[in-house]
Amino acid sequence: MKKLLLATAVAALSVSAANAAPTVYGKAFVTADYVDAEVDARYVDNAGEKFSGNEDENTVEINSHSSRLGFKGSEAMTANTDVIYQLEYGVNVDASGDNTFKSRDTFLGLANKNFGQVRVGRNTSVLDYVNNVTVTEGYWDNLGSNTLNTESDLDIDENGRVVGFSEDIVQALNMVSDKRQDNSVVWIAPKYNGVPVELAVQYSADESFGSNDNGFGASLMFDQGTGFTAGLAYTKDMDANTKWTLFDEELSYGGDVIRGTATIDLNKYMAMPVTLGALYQVADYDIDGAEEEKGLVISGEMGLTNFARPASVYLQYNKTDNLAGLNNFDSDQVVLGGKYMYKDNMIAHAYIGQNSADITVADAFEDGDIARIDADVFAIGGGLEYIF
């Protein structure tokens, strides 16, 4: 009897330890990318004199894309409620320095069978909960790169001529996207009676002294497993919070974002292994004179059947008008790519794409009247993604 009791106790302790032990997960995604970036600037002063400058650079880059290391788990608190937790950190596989580790989704929360999940900490915006359309990978996974670099000024000589450009002025520019929110709470509602809708609500607190710019948002995702999905999300003073510098002028403002998405898996309705998607988004910035930023994404991905392992090709087009709320600041992007799965957790990537953006700025310089900048970025590359 004593041996039986001892064995039962050991088994119980083993189960408890297993429940408490975190799951270690992550991925490493590294690519080699050839990037050709060019920017042209034309400047007209008050006297009507015209100056121009051009910068054209090309290089081969080694890049790490959303590589990460995480720990997550859960443990029963009551019969219906579990404590849930996650610690996730971004890792730069290709570099060292201050940004080698960066916090991603990190939270502590509760999961209840009747009331859903509550996550408290640093959480991805609910705008990402309806990001079911974008298919680009690697270098071109750039949704959210909608502002010029804070050091991206033109170099002007003593005569007012454009003589060069600061480093990193040229980058592929795109519409605003989800941002991780510090000091935030997310509630994910349970699904009732098999209704194929998932609701998420988020609150983000700005804890800066003297500030009251708290944000909030909500998302709704419809998916009944028939091959058609649709999403709708809205955020206020979360994703549209923007701080950047253009021509030594610092800008900081918040705003609203509303996003609608839809996808359809044609293979569910006909013998065609193609998934089509469309995303439309409007960002309204809280700054005088700002225009609504309007973004459109159209994508398609097709599975390839003549390979030993799962493979696919994809095509995506992005168009954004009035980037960051600036009138006549527009960009177009088109990307063609493909994936091949050596194993379920080993994925080879290849892609080629082009992004073109242009902006006209009035009174950009102290003695100037109009400046126009055209930026073009071409990139081709590929790499390996390993998931564990």
Side-chain angles (χ1 to χ4, degrees):
M1 176 63 70
K2 291 182 179 180
K3 290 183 178 180
L4 178 61
L5 290 175
L6 180 60
T8 303
V10 170
L13 288 173
S14 299
V15 171
S16 176
N19 287 340
T23 298
V24 180
Y25 68 95
K27 76 172 183 177
F29 186 6
V30 179
T31 64
D33 304 306
Y34 170 77
V35 182
D36 186 351
E38 180 178 7
V39 60
D40 290 299
R42 295 175 293 282
Y43 165 52
V44 181
D45 68 9
N46 290 326
E49 294 191 57
K50 300 179 180 180
F51 308 106
S52 64
N54 174 271
E55 191 78 5
D56 187 357
E57 295 185 2
N58 57 81
T59 184
V60 174
E61 302 177 358
I62 304 299
N63 292 310
S64 174
H65 303 285
S66 299
S67 299
R68 67 197 66 167
L69 176 64
F71 307 86
K72 63 182 177 180
S74 65
E75 186 168 352
M77 174 182 286
T78 68
N80 293 321
T81 304
D82 292 344
V83 172
I84 57 174
Y85 61 91
Q86 178 173 295
L87 304 173
E88 184 175 297
Y89 300 93
V91 180
N92 279 343
V93 178
D94 64 321
S96 62
D98 296 336
N99 294 322
T100 301
F101 288 93
K102 186 175 181 180
S103 177
R104 291 171 59 88
D105 282 27
T106 302
F107 59 81
L108 179 66
L110 298 173
N112 183 274
K113 295 179 181 179
N114 299 317
F115 300 103
Q117 285 190 23
V118 176
R119 301 174 179 179
V120 183
R122 176 173 165 83
N123 294 284
T124 295
S125 162
V126 291
L127 197 67
D128 184 58
Y129 286 35
V130 298
N131 188 16
N132 55 321
V133 173
T134 57
V135 294
T136 48
E137 301 273 6
Y139 184 91
W140 292 109
D141 182 15
N142 66 330
L143 205 66
S145 301
N146 72 323
T147 58
L148 294 175
N149 189 279
T150 54
E151 306 217 353
S152 55
D153 289 339
L154 299 178
D155 296 329
I156 311 297
D157 67 12
E158 64 276 8
N159 298 317
R161 297 179 183 274
V162 179
V163 295
F165 307 90
S166 299
E167 186 178 358
D168 295 332
I169 186 173
V170 187
Q171 54 186 312
L173 299 176
N174 222 314
M175 68 191 74
V176 68
S177 190
D178 56 277
K179 299 177 181 177
R180 287 186 175 83
Q181 304 297 313
D182 296 336
N183 312 308
S184 64
V185 181
V186 176
W187 172 59
I188 303 175
K191 292 184 178 180
Y192 292 103
N193 299 322
V195 177
V197 173
E198 183 174 88
L199 169 68
V201 179
Q202 185 171 22
Y203 172 77
S204 177
D206 187 344
E207 298 183 354
S208 302
F209 182 75
S211 175
N212 193 32
D213 297 328
N214 301 322
F216 58 89
S219 68
L220 200 62
M221 191 70 192
F222 172 83
D223 184 359
Q224 59 182 352
T226 62
F228 174 77
T229 68
L232 183 65
Y234 169 81
T235 64
K236 170 69 175 178
D237 291 337
M238 286 171 45
D239 306 298
N241 272 343
T242 303
K243 295 180 181 180
W244 60 299
T245 302
L246 178 63
F247 304 116
D248 293 326
E249 181 180 357
E250 294 185 359
L251 301 174
S252 177
Y253 45 90
D256 308 75
V257 180
I258 185 167
R259 171 185 288 181
T261 64
T263 67
I264 183 168
D265 183 357
L266 297 181
N267 203 37
K268 296 285 187 177
Y269 303 94
M270 62 187 73
M272 184 179 295
V274 175
T275 299
L276 302 177
L279 177 154
Y280 184 72
Q281 176 178 287
V282 176
D284 188 6
Y285 294 94
D286 298 333
I287 183 173
D288 291 340
E291 298 287 336
E292 288 186 340
E293 179 192 276
K294 299 178 180 179
L296 173 68
V297 176
I298 299 175
S299 66
E301 184 170 11
M302 180 175 69
L304 303 177
T305 59
N306 54 341
F307 286 87
R309 293 285 303 171
S312 65
V313 294
Y314 59 81
L315 181 66
Q316 180 172 310
Y317 171 71
N318 295 31
K319 178 175 175 56
T320 310
D321 295 332
N322 306 320
L323 277 158
L326 298 178
N327 190 26
N328 295 324
F329 189 9
D330 307 324
S331 76
D332 291 272
Q333 177 174 296
V334 61
V335 178
L336 173 67
K339 296 183 287 186
Y340 180 81
M341 301 180 69
Y342 290 101
K343 293 184 177 180
D344 291 344
N345 65 330
M346 299 179 187
I347 309 169
H349 296 265
Y351 43 76
I352 182 171
Q354 172 78 27
N355 180 287
S356 298
D358 61 82
I359 180 174
T360 300
V361 183
D363 299 322
F365 308 107
E366 181 178 353
D367 299 322
D369 187 19
I370 297 176
R372 180 176 176 84
I373 301 175
D374 294 314
D376 293 287
V377 178
F378 168 83
I380 181 172
L384 182 66
E385 178 181 9
Y386 177 71
I387 302 171
F388 60 90

